[in-house]
Amino acid sequence: MRSILFPLSLLALSACAASIPPVEVTRFHLGQQPAAGAVAIEAADGQNAANLEFGTYAAAVSRELIRLGYPTESKPAYRVVLGFERGERQVAKRSPVTIGIGGGSFGGSVGIGVGTSFGVGKSTSEIVATRMSVQMKRVSDGAVVWEGRAQTEAPGNAPAAQPGLAADKLARALFQDFPGESGRTITVP
């Protein structure tokens, strides 16, 4: 019995270690990291700052900014304009089951063969795409000193598709190696 449980426990652990989809990140800035200073996070046009989901994304961005030396205080040096969107799409999955029909003759040196196969059953899966955009503007003159966007996709039933996990993942990727290379799109695992 013990010899059966050990392989089963390894199989269960490997199922927990599902692959996490990568994040595509693009950033733009003035060639240097903005000077440290307090920030105030605001909702982008069309976003509702009172929305609980917005709060999830704002908290993720705030954590990253605080880590980088940009605390959230009442007298900010920068306005951080945050936007996000989530969308779902259906993707057809190819059936793993096929039925093949074939025939042939193998007499002498002459051979004839015909074959075909077709999928049995159809199914679809849901993909959740999540995108975050951030602009850092100086309060003194309203100039954008840094901006970036990050996006990822995950199967609808995966933990990475949940708003809280997606927000954290996008914020971490967006502010990784801050300010990042301007104008270049990178993939963050």
CSV table of all heavy atoms in Angstrom, one decimal, residues 108-171:
chain,number,residue,atom,x,y,z
A,108,GLY,N,3.4,-8.7,-53.1
A,108,GLY,CA,4.5,-8.5,-54.0
A,108,GLY,C,5.1,-7.2,-53.7
A,108,GLY,O,5.4,-6.8,-52.6
A,109,SER,N,5.3,-6.4,-54.7
A,109,SER,CA,5.9,-5.1,-54.6
A,109,SER,C,4.9,-3.9,-54.8
A,109,SER,O,5.3,-2.8,-54.9
A,109,SER,CB,7.1,-4.9,-55.5
A,109,SER,OG,6.7,-5.0,-56.8
A,110,VAL,N,3.7,-4.3,-54.8
A,110,VAL,CA,2.6,-3.3,-55.0
A,110,VAL,C,1.9,-3.1,-53.7
A,110,VAL,O,1.5,-4.0,-53.1
A,110,VAL,CB,1.6,-3.8,-56.1
A,110,VAL,CG1,0.5,-2.8,-56.3
A,110,VAL,CG2,2.4,-4.0,-57.4
A,111,GLY,N,1.7,-1.8,-53.4
A,111,GLY,CA,1.0,-1.5,-52.1
A,111,GLY,C,0.0,-0.3,-52.4
A,111,GLY,O,0.4,0.6,-53.0
A,112,ILE,N,-1.1,-0.4,-51.9
A,112,ILE,CA,-2.1,0.6,-52.0
A,112,ILE,C,-2.7,0.9,-50.6
A,112,ILE,O,-3.0,-0.1,-49.8
A,112,ILE,CB,-3.3,0.2,-52.9
A,112,ILE,CG1,-2.8,-0.1,-54.3
A,112,ILE,CG2,-4.4,1.3,-52.9
A,112,ILE,CD1,-3.8,-0.7,-55.2
A,113,GLY,N,-2.8,2.1,-50.2
A,113,GLY,CA,-3.3,2.5,-48.9
A,113,GLY,C,-4.2,3.7,-48.9
A,113,GLY,O,-3.9,4.6,-49.7
A,114,VAL,N,-5.2,3.7,-48.2
A,114,VAL,CA,-6.1,4.8,-48.1
A,114,VAL,C,-6.4,5.0,-46.6
A,114,VAL,O,-6.6,4.0,-45.9
A,114,VAL,CB,-7.4,4.6,-48.8
A,114,VAL,CG1,-8.4,5.8,-48.6
A,114,VAL,CG2,-7.1,4.4,-50.3
A,115,GLY,N,-6.4,6.2,-46.1
A,115,GLY,CA,-6.6,6.5,-44.7
A,115,GLY,C,-7.3,7.8,-44.5
A,115,GLY,O,-7.1,8.7,-45.2
A,116,THR,N,-8.0,7.9,-43.4
A,116,THR,CA,-8.6,9.2,-43.0
A,116,THR,C,-8.9,9.1,-41.5
A,116,THR,O,-8.9,8.1,-40.9
A,116,THR,CB,-9.9,9.4,-43.8
A,116,THR,OG1,-10.4,10.7,-43.4
A,116,THR,CG2,-11.0,8.4,-43.4
A,117,SER,N,-8.9,10.3,-40.9
A,117,SER,CA,-9.3,10.3,-39.5
A,117,SER,C,-10.1,11.6,-39.2
A,117,SER,O,-10.0,12.6,-40.0
A,117,SER,CB,-8.0,10.3,-38.6
A,117,SER,OG,-7.3,11.5,-38.8
A,118,PHE,N,-10.9,11.6,-38.2
A,118,PHE,CA,-11.7,12.7,-37.8
A,118,PHE,C,-11.8,12.7,-36.3
A,118,PHE,O,-11.8,11.7,-35.7
A,118,PHE,CB,-13.0,12.8,-38.6
A,118,PHE,CG,-13.8,11.5,-38.4
A,118,PHE,CD1,-14.8,11.4,-37.4
A,118,PHE,CD2,-13.7,10.4,-39.2
A,118,PHE,CE1,-15.5,10.3,-37.2
A,118,PHE,CE2,-14.4,9.3,-39.0
A,118,PHE,CZ,-15.3,9.2,-38.0
A,119,GLY,N,-12.0,13.9,-35.8
A,119,GLY,CA,-12.1,14.1,-34.3
A,119,GLY,C,-13.5,13.7,-33.9
A,119,GLY,O,-14.5,13.8,-34.6
A,120,VAL,N,-13.6,13.1,-32.7
A,120,VAL,CA,-14.8,12.8,-32.1
A,120,VAL,C,-15.1,13.7,-31.0
A,120,VAL,O,-14.4,13.9,-30.1
A,120,VAL,CB,-14.7,11.3,-31.5
A,120,VAL,CG1,-16.0,11.0,-30.8
A,120,VAL,CG2,-14.4,10.3,-32.6
A,121,GLY,N,-16.3,14.4,-31.1
A,121,GLY,CA,-16.7,15.4,-30.1
A,121,GLY,C,-16.0,16.7,-30.3
A,121,GLY,O,-14.9,16.9,-30.8
A,122,LYS,N,-16.7,17.8,-29.8
A,122,LYS,CA,-16.1,19.1,-29.8
A,122,LYS,C,-16.3,19.7,-28.4
A,122,LYS,O,-17.2,19.4,-27.7
A,122,LYS,CB,-16.9,20.0,-30.8
A,122,LYS,CG,-16.6,19.9,-32.2
A,122,LYS,CD,-17.3,21.0,-33.0
A,122,LYS,CE,-16.8,21.0,-34.4
A,122,LYS,NZ,-17.5,22.0,-35.2
A,123,SER,N,-15.3,20.6,-28.1
A,123,SER,CA,-15.5,21.3,-26.8
A,123,SER,C,-14.8,22.6,-26.9
A,123,SER,O,-14.0,22.8,-27.8
A,123,SER,CB,-14.9,20.5,-25.6
A,123,SER,OG,-13.5,20.3,-25.8
A,124,THR,N,-15.1,23.5,-26.0
A,124,THR,CA,-14.5,24.8,-26.0
A,124,THR,C,-14.0,25.1,-24.6
A,124,THR,O,-14.5,24.5,-23.6
A,124,THR,CB,-15.5,25.9,-26.4
A,124,THR,OG1,-16.6,25.9,-25.5
A,124,THR,CG2,-16.0,25.8,-27.8
A,125,SER,N,-13.0,26.0,-24.5
A,125,SER,CA,-12.6,26.4,-23.2
A,125,SER,C,-12.6,27.9,-23.2
A,125,SER,O,-12.5,28.5,-24.2
A,125,SER,CB,-11.2,25.8,-22.9
A,125,SER,OG,-10.2,26.4,-23.7
A,126,GLU,N,-12.6,28.5,-22.0
A,126,GLU,CA,-12.7,29.9,-21.8
A,126,GLU,C,-11.3,30.4,-21.5
A,126,GLU,O,-10.6,29.9,-20.6
A,126,GLU,CB,-13.6,30.2,-20.7
A,126,GLU,CG,-13.8,31.7,-20.4
A,126,GLU,CD,-14.8,31.9,-19.3
A,126,GLU,OE1,-14.3,31.9,-18.1
A,126,GLU,OE2,-16.0,32.1,-19.6
A,127,ILE,N,-10.9,31.5,-22.1
A,127,ILE,CA,-9.6,32.1,-21.9
A,127,ILE,C,-9.9,33.5,-21.3
A,127,ILE,O,-10.7,34.3,-21.9
A,127,ILE,CB,-8.7,32.3,-23.1
A,127,ILE,CG1,-8.4,30.9,-23.7
A,127,ILE,CG2,-7.5,33.1,-22.9
A,127,ILE,CD1,-7.5,30.1,-22.9
A,128,VAL,N,-9.3,33.9,-20.2
A,128,VAL,CA,-9.5,35.2,-19.6
A,128,VAL,C,-8.3,36.1,-19.9
A,128,VAL,O,-7.2,35.7,-19.5
A,128,VAL,CB,-9.8,35.1,-18.1
A,128,VAL,CG1,-9.9,36.5,-17.5
A,128,VAL,CG2,-11.0,34.3,-17.8
A,129,ALA,N,-8.5,37.2,-20.6
A,129,ALA,CA,-7.4,38.1,-20.9
A,129,ALA,C,-7.5,39.3,-19.9
A,129,ALA,O,-8.6,39.8,-19.7
A,129,ALA,CB,-7.4,38.6,-22.3
A,130,THR,N,-6.4,39.7,-19.3
A,130,THR,CA,-6.4,40.8,-18.3
A,130,THR,C,-5.3,41.7,-18.7
A,130,THR,O,-4.2,41.3,-19.0
A,130,THR,CB,-6.1,40.3,-16.9
A,130,THR,OG1,-7.0,39.2,-16.6
A,130,THR,CG2,-6.3,41.4,-15.9
A,131,ARG,N,-5.6,43.0,-18.7
A,131,ARG,CA,-4.7,44.1,-19.1
A,131,ARG,C,-4.7,45.2,-18.1
A,131,ARG,O,-5.7,45.6,-17.6
A,131,ARG,CB,-5.0,44.6,-20.5
A,131,ARG,CG,-4.1,45.7,-20.9
A,131,ARG,CD,-4.5,46.2,-22.3
A,131,ARG,NE,-3.5,47.2,-22.7
A,131,ARG,CZ,-3.5,47.7,-23.9
A,131,ARG,NH1,-4.3,47.3,-24.8
A,131,ARG,NH2,-2.6,48.7,-24.1
A,132,MET,N,-3.5,45.7,-17.7
A,132,MET,CA,-3.4,46.8,-16.8
A,132,MET,C,-2.5,47.9,-17.4
A,132,MET,O,-1.6,47.6,-18.1
A,132,MET,CB,-2.7,46.3,-15.5
A,132,MET,CG,-2.3,47.4,-14.5
A,132,MET,SD,-1.2,46.8,-13.2
A,132,MET,CE,-2.4,45.8,-12.3
A,133,SER,N,-2.9,49.1,-17.2
A,133,SER,CA,-2.1,50.3,-17.7
A,133,SER,C,-1.9,51.3,-16.6
A,133,SER,O,-2.8,51.5,-15.8
A,133,SER,CB,-2.8,50.9,-18.9
A,133,SER,OG,-4.1,51.5,-18.6
A,134,VAL,N,-0.7,51.8,-16.5
A,134,VAL,CA,-0.4,52.8,-15.5
A,134,VAL,C,0.3,54.0,-16.1
A,134,VAL,O,1.2,53.8,-16.9
A,134,VAL,CB,0.5,52.1,-14.4
A,134,VAL,CG1,1.0,53.1,-13.4
A,134,VAL,CG2,-0.2,51.0,-13.7
A,135,GLN,N,-0.1,55.2,-15.7
A,135,GLN,CA,0.7,56.4,-16.1
A,135,GLN,C,1.1,57.1,-14.8
A,135,GLN,O,0.2,57.3,-13.9
A,135,GLN,CB,-0.2,57.4,-16.9
A,135,GLN,CG,-0.3,57.0,-18.4
A,135,GLN,CD,-1.0,58.2,-19.1
A,135,GLN,OE1,-1.8,58.9,-18.6
A,135,GLN,NE2,-0.7,58.3,-20.4
A,136,MET,N,2.3,57.5,-14.8
A,136,MET,CA,2.8,58.3,-13.6
A,136,MET,C,3.0,59.7,-14.1
A,136,MET,O,3.9,60.0,-15.0
A,136,MET,CB,4.1,57.7,-13.2
A,136,MET,CG,4.7,58.1,-11.9
A,136,MET,SD,6.1,57.1,-11.5
A,136,MET,CE,6.2,57.3,-9.7
A,137,LYS,N,2.2,60.7,-13.5
A,137,LYS,CA,2.3,62.1,-13.9
A,137,LYS,C,2.8,62.9,-12.8
A,137,LYS,O,2.3,62.8,-11.6
A,137,LYS,CB,0.9,62.5,-14.3
A,137,LYS,CG,0.3,61.8,-15.5
A,137,LYS,CD,-1.1,62.3,-15.8
A,137,LYS,CE,-1.7,61.6,-17.0
A,137,LYS,NZ,-3.0,62.2,-17.4
A,138,ARG,N,3.6,63.9,-13.1
A,138,ARG,CA,4.1,64.9,-12.1
A,138,ARG,C,2.9,65.8,-11.8
A,138,ARG,O,2.2,66.3,-12.6
A,138,ARG,CB,5.2,65.7,-12.6
A,138,ARG,CG,6.6,65.2,-12.3
A,138,ARG,CD,7.7,66.3,-12.6
A,138,ARG,NE,7.6,66.9,-13.9
A,138,ARG,CZ,8.4,66.6,-14.9
A,138,ARG,NH1,9.4,65.7,-14.8
A,138,ARG,NH2,8.3,67.1,-16.1
A,139,VAL,N,2.7,66.0,-10.5
A,139,VAL,CA,1.6,66.9,-10.0
A,139,VAL,C,1.9,68.3,-10.4
A,139,VAL,O,1.0,69.0,-10.9
A,139,VAL,CB,1.4,66.7,-8.5
A,139,VAL,CG1,0.5,67.8,-8.0
A,139,VAL,CG2,0.9,65.4,-8.2
A,140,SER,N,3.2,68.7,-10.4
A,140,SER,CA,3.6,70.1,-10.6
A,140,SER,C,3.2,70.6,-12.0
A,140,SER,O,2.7,71.7,-12.2
A,140,SER,CB,5.0,70.3,-10.4
A,140,SER,OG,5.8,69.5,-11.3
A,141,ASP,N,3.4,69.8,-13.1
A,141,ASP,CA,3.1,70.2,-14.4
A,141,ASP,C,2.2,69.3,-15.2
A,141,ASP,O,1.9,69.5,-16.4
A,141,ASP,CB,4.4,70.5,-15.2
A,141,ASP,CG,5.3,69.3,-15.3
A,141,ASP,OD1,4.9,68.2,-14.9
A,141,ASP,OD2,6.4,69.4,-15.9
A,142,GLY,N,1.8,68.1,-14.7
A,142,GLY,CA,1.0,67.2,-15.4
A,142,GLY,C,1.7,66.3,-16.4
A,142,GLY,O,1.0,65.6,-17.1
A,143,ALA,N,3.0,66.4,-16.5
A,143,ALA,CA,3.8,65.7,-17.5
A,143,ALA,C,3.8,64.2,-17.1
A,143,ALA,O,4.0,63.9,-16.0
A,143,ALA,CB,5.2,66.2,-17.6
A,144,VAL,N,3.7,63.4,-18.1
A,144,VAL,CA,3.8,61.9,-17.9
A,144,VAL,C,5.3,61.6,-17.9
A,144,VAL,O,6.0,61.9,-18.9
A,144,VAL,CB,3.1,61.1,-19.0
A,144,VAL,CG1,3.3,59.6,-18.9
A,144,VAL,CG2,1.6,61.4,-19.1
A,145,VAL,N,5.8,61.1,-16.8
A,145,VAL,CA,7.2,60.7,-16.6
A,145,VAL,C,7.5,59.3,-16.8
A,145,VAL,O,8.6,58.9,-17.0
A,145,VAL,CB,7.7,61.2,-15.3
A,145,VAL,CG1,7.7,62.7,-15.2
A,145,VAL,CG2,7.0,60.6,-14.1
A,146,TRP,N,6.4,58.4,-16.7
A,146,TRP,CA,6.6,57.0,-16.9
A,146,TRP,C,5.2,56.4,-17.2
A,146,TRP,O,4.2,56.8,-16.6
A,146,TRP,CB,7.1,56.3,-15.6
A,146,TRP,CG,7.4,54.9,-15.8
A,146,TRP,CD1,8.6,54.3,-16.2
A,146,TRP,CD2,6.5,53.8,-15.5
A,146,TRP,NE1,8.5,52.9,-16.2
A,146,TRP,CE2,7.2,52.6,-15.8
A,146,TRP,CE3,5.2,53.7,-15.1
A,146,TRP,CZ2,6.6,51.3,-15.6
A,146,TRP,CZ3,4.6,52.5,-14.9
A,146,TRP,CH2,5.3,51.3,-15.2
A,147,GLU,N,5.2,55.5,-18.1
A,147,GLU,CA,3.9,54.7,-18.3
A,147,GLU,C,4.2,53.3,-18.8
A,147,GLU,O,5.3,53.1,-19.3
A,147,GLU,CB,3.0,55.4,-19.3
A,147,GLU,CG,3.5,55.5,-20.7
A,147,GLU,CD,2.5,56.2,-21.6
A,147,GLU,OE1,1.5,55.6,-21.9
A,147,GLU,OE2,2.8,57.4,-22.0
A,148,GLY,N,3.3,52.5,-18.5
A,148,GLY,CA,3.5,51.1,-18.9
A,148,GLY,C,2.2,50.3,-19.0
A,148,GLY,O,1.2,50.8,-18.5
A,149,ARG,N,2.2,49.2,-19.7
A,149,ARG,CA,1.0,48.3,-19.8
A,149,ARG,C,1.5,46.9,-19.7
A,149,ARG,O,2.6,46.6,-20.2
A,149,ARG,CB,0.2,48.6,-21.0
A,149,ARG,CG,0.9,48.3,-22.3
A,149,ARG,CD,0.0,48.7,-23.5
A,149,ARG,NE,0.8,48.5,-24.7
A,149,ARG,CZ,1.4,49.5,-25.4
A,149,ARG,NH1,1.4,50.7,-24.9
A,149,ARG,NH2,2.1,49.2,-26.5
A,150,ALA,N,0.7,46.1,-19.1
A,150,ALA,CA,1.0,44.7,-19.0
A,150,ALA,C,-0.3,43.9,-19.3
A,150,ALA,O,-1.4,44.3,-19.0
A,150,ALA,CB,1.5,44.4,-17.6
A,151,GLN,N,-0.1,42.7,-19.9
A,151,GLN,CA,-1.3,41.9,-20.2
A,151,GLN,C,-0.9,40.4,-20.1
A,151,GLN,O,0.3,40.0,-20.4
A,151,GLN,CB,-1.8,42.2,-21.6
A,151,GLN,CG,-0.9,42.1,-22.7
A,151,GLN,CD,-1.5,42.6,-24.0
A,151,GLN,OE1,-2.3,43.5,-24.0
A,151,GLN,NE2,-1.0,42.1,-25.1
A,152,THR,N,-1.9,39.6,-19.8
A,152,THR,CA,-1.7,38.2,-19.7
A,152,THR,C,-3.0,37.5,-20.0
A,152,THR,O,-4.1,38.1,-20.0
A,152,THR,CB,-1.2,37.8,-18.3
A,152,THR,OG1,-0.8,36.4,-18.3
A,152,THR,CG2,-2.2,38.0,-17.2
A,153,GLU,N,-2.9,36.2,-20.3
A,153,GLU,CA,-4.1,35.4,-20.5
A,153,GLU,C,-3.9,34.1,-19.7
A,153,GLU,O,-2.8,33.6,-19.5
A,153,GLU,CB,-4.2,35.0,-22.0
A,153,GLU,CG,-4.5,36.1,-22.9
A,153,GLU,CD,-4.8,35.7,-24.4
A,153,GLU,OE1,-4.3,34.6,-24.7
A,153,GLU,OE2,-5.4,36.4,-25.1
A,154,ALA,N,-5.1,33.6,-19.3
A,154,ALA,CA,-5.1,32.3,-18.5
A,154,ALA,C,-6.4,31.6,-18.8
A,154,ALA,O,-7.4,32.2,-19.1
A,154,ALA,CB,-4.9,32.6,-17.0
A,155,PRO,N,-6.4,30.3,-18.7
A,155,PRO,CA,-7.6,29.5,-18.8
A,155,PRO,C,-8.6,30.0,-17.7
A,155,PRO,O,-8.2,30.3,-16.6
A,155,PRO,CB,-7.2,28.1,-18.5
A,155,PRO,CG,-5.7,28.0,-18.9
A,155,PRO,CD,-5.2,29.4,-18.5
A,156,GLY,N,-9.9,30.1,-18.1
A,156,GLY,CA,-10.9,30.6,-17.2
A,156,GLY,C,-11.0,29.9,-15.9
A,156,GLY,O,-11.4,30.5,-14.9
A,157,ASN,N,-10.6,28.6,-15.8
A,157,ASN,CA,-10.7,27.8,-14.6
A,157,ASN,C,-9.4,27.8,-13.8
A,157,ASN,O,-9.3,27.2,-12.8
A,157,ASN,CB,-11.2,26.4,-14.9
A,157,ASN,CG,-10.3,25.7,-15.8
A,157,ASN,OD1,-9.3,26.2,-16.3
A,157,ASN,ND2,-10.5,24.4,-16.0
A,158,ALA,N,-8.4,28.5,-14.3
A,158,ALA,CA,-7.1,28.5,-13.6
A,158,ALA,C,-7.0,29.6,-12.5
A,158,ALA,O,-7.7,30.7,-12.6
A,158,ALA,CB,-6.0,28.8,-14.6
A,159,PRO,N,-6.3,29.4,-11.4
A,159,PRO,CA,-6.2,30.4,-10.4
A,159,PRO,C,-5.6,31.7,-10.9
A,159,PRO,O,-6.0,32.8,-10.5
A,159,PRO,CB,-5.2,29.8,-9.4
A,159,PRO,CG,-5.3,28.3,-9.6
A,159,PRO,CD,-5.6,28.2,-11.1
A,160,ALA,N,-4.8,31.7,-12.0
A,160,ALA,CA,-4.2,32.9,-12.5
A,160,ALA,C,-5.2,33.8,-13.2
A,160,ALA,O,-4.9,35.0,-13.5
A,160,ALA,CB,-3.1,32.5,-13.5
A,161,ALA,N,-6.4,33.3,-13.4
A,161,ALA,CA,-7.5,34.1,-14.1
A,161,ALA,C,-8.2,34.9,-13.0
A,161,ALA,O,-9.0,35.8,-13.4
A,161,ALA,CB,-8.4,33.2,-14.9
A,162,GLN,N,-8.1,34.6,-11.8
A,162,GLN,CA,-8.8,35.3,-10.7
A,162,GLN,C,-8.3,36.8,-10.6
A,162,GLN,O,-7.1,37.0,-10.7
A,162,GLN,CB,-8.6,34.6,-9.4
A,162,GLN,CG,-9.2,33.2,-9.4
A,162,GLN,CD,-10.7,33.2,-9.8
A,162,GLN,OE1,-11.5,34.0,-9.3
A,162,GLN,NE2,-11.0,32.3,-10.7
A,163,PRO,N,-9.1,37.8,-10.4
A,163,PRO,CA,-8.7,39.2,-10.4
A,163,PRO,C,-7.6,39.5,-9.4
A,163,PRO,O,-6.6,40.2,-9.8
A,163,PRO,CB,-10.0,39.9,-10.0
A,163,PRO,CG,-11.1,39.1,-10.5
A,163,PRO,CD,-10.6,37.7,-10.3
A,164,GLY,N,-7.6,38.9,-8.2
A,164,GLY,CA,-6.5,39.2,-7.2
A,164,GLY,C,-5.2,38.7,-7.7
A,164,GLY,O,-4.2,39.4,-7.6
A,165,LEU,N,-5.1,37.5,-8.1
A,165,LEU,CA,-3.9,36.9,-8.6
A,165,LEU,C,-3.4,37.6,-9.9
A,165,LEU,O,-2.2,37.9,-10.0
A,165,LEU,CB,-4.0,35.4,-8.8
A,165,LEU,CG,-4.2,34.6,-7.5
A,165,LEU,CD1,-4.5,33.1,-7.9
A,165,LEU,CD2,-3.1,34.7,-6.6
A,166,ALA,N,-4.3,37.9,-10.8
A,166,ALA,CA,-3.9,38.6,-12.0
A,166,ALA,C,-3.4,39.9,-11.7
A,166,ALA,O,-2.4,40.4,-12.3
A,166,ALA,CB,-5.1,38.6,-13.0
A,167,ALA,N,-4.0,40.7,-10.8
A,167,ALA,CA,-3.6,42.0,-10.5
A,167,ALA,C,-2.1,42.0,-9.9
A,167,ALA,O,-1.3,42.8,-10.3
A,167,ALA,CB,-4.5,42.7,-9.5
A,168,ASP,N,-1.9,41.1,-9.0
A,168,ASP,CA,-0.5,41.0,-8.4
A,168,ASP,C,0.5,40.6,-9.5
A,168,ASP,O,1.6,41.2,-9.5
A,168,ASP,CB,-0.5,40.0,-7.3
A,168,ASP,CG,-1.2,40.5,-6.0
A,168,ASP,OD1,-1.3,41.7,-5.8
A,168,ASP,OD2,-1.6,39.6,-5.2
A,169,LYS,N,0.2,39.7,-10.3
A,169,LYS,CA,1.1,39.2,-11.3
A,169,LYS,C,1.4,40.4,-12.3
A,169,LYS,O,2.6,40.6,-12.7
A,169,LYS,CB,0.5,38.0,-12.0
A,169,LYS,CG,1.5,37.5,-13.1
A,169,LYS,CD,0.9,36.2,-13.7
A,169,LYS,CE,1.8,35.8,-14.8
A,169,LYS,NZ,2.8,34.8,-14.4
A,170,LEU,N,0.4,41.1,-12.7
A,170,LEU,CA,0.6,42.2,-13.7
A,170,LEU,C,1.4,43.3,-13.1
A,170,LEU,O,2.3,43.8,-13.7
A,170,LEU,CB,-0.8,42.7,-14.2
A,170,LEU,CG,-1.6,41.7,-15.1
A,170,LEU,CD1,-3.0,42.3,-15.3
A,170,LEU,CD2,-0.8,41.5,-16.4
A,171,ALA,N,1.1,43.7,-11.8
A,171,ALA,CA,1.8,44.8,-11.2
A,171,ALA,C,3.3,44.4,-11.0
A,171,ALA,O,4.2,45.2,-11.2
A,171,ALA,CB,1.2,45.1,-9.8
